[in-house]
Amino acid sequence: MHVTIPYVIAAALFGLGVYGVVRRRNAILVLMAVELMLNAVNLILVTADVSLRSALKGVPGEAWAAPNSQAGSGGVVALFVIVLAAAEVGVGLAIVLQYYRVRKAVALDEIPLAEEVAE
């Protein structure tokens, strides 16, 4: 498989995530769009790890070329991003559920960002 295909797919996923964050009004759908962007980053991390390792074969051992001799370090970073995404979803859903209990809505347009000053 050509290495460009995962990068294009990741760019498309990230673009869809940005579109979802910008256009959606529902807080839960915005959280899903953020997850889509994080998964696109994971795809790029794993693809870059595999493609750079295959491209650097035969290159003399430089400290910058192979600082970590273990294979799959991109996968480890992707796993770290997955853990962060799970924590983000947990906190985000808790905030959305609490807001729904108080206001009975999850529309982001209706959330007051600053208190209005009474005159």
Side-chain angles (χ1 to χ4, degrees):
M1 183 168 69
H2 199 269
V3 75
T4 307
I5 295 171
Y7 287 122
V8 171
I9 291 172
L13 286 176
F14 196 84
L16 285 173
V18 169
Y19 177 78
V21 168
V22 171
R23 285 294 293 173
R24 293 294 180 176
R25 295 177 47 201
N26 190 330
I28 295 173
L29 292 178
V30 171
L31 283 175
M32 289 174 62
V34 170
E35 291 297 316
L36 198 59
M37 289 191 295
L38 289 173
N39 284 329
V41 170
N42 286 338
L43 183 60
I44 288 175
L45 287 172
V46 171
T47 304
D49 180 46
V50 171
S51 64
L52 288 178
R53 285 195 184 278
S54 65
L56 291 177
K57 280 190 177 175
V59 175
E62 298 281 340
W64 58 270
N68 186 3
S69 63
Q70 297 177 350
S73 60
V76 171
V77 175
L79 183 63
F80 180 71
V81 172
I82 289 171
V83 169
L84 284 179
E88 174 258 333
V89 165
V91 171
L93 281 178
I95 291 171
V96 169
L97 286 176
Q98 185 62 31
Y99 187 78
Y100 180 77
R101 286 181 184 158
V102 173
R103 302 286 174 135
K104 299 294 182 197
V106 291
L108 294 177
D109 295 344
E110 300 171 1
I111 297 174
L113 297 178
E115 290 187 30
E116 296 180 14
V117 178
E119 296 180 16

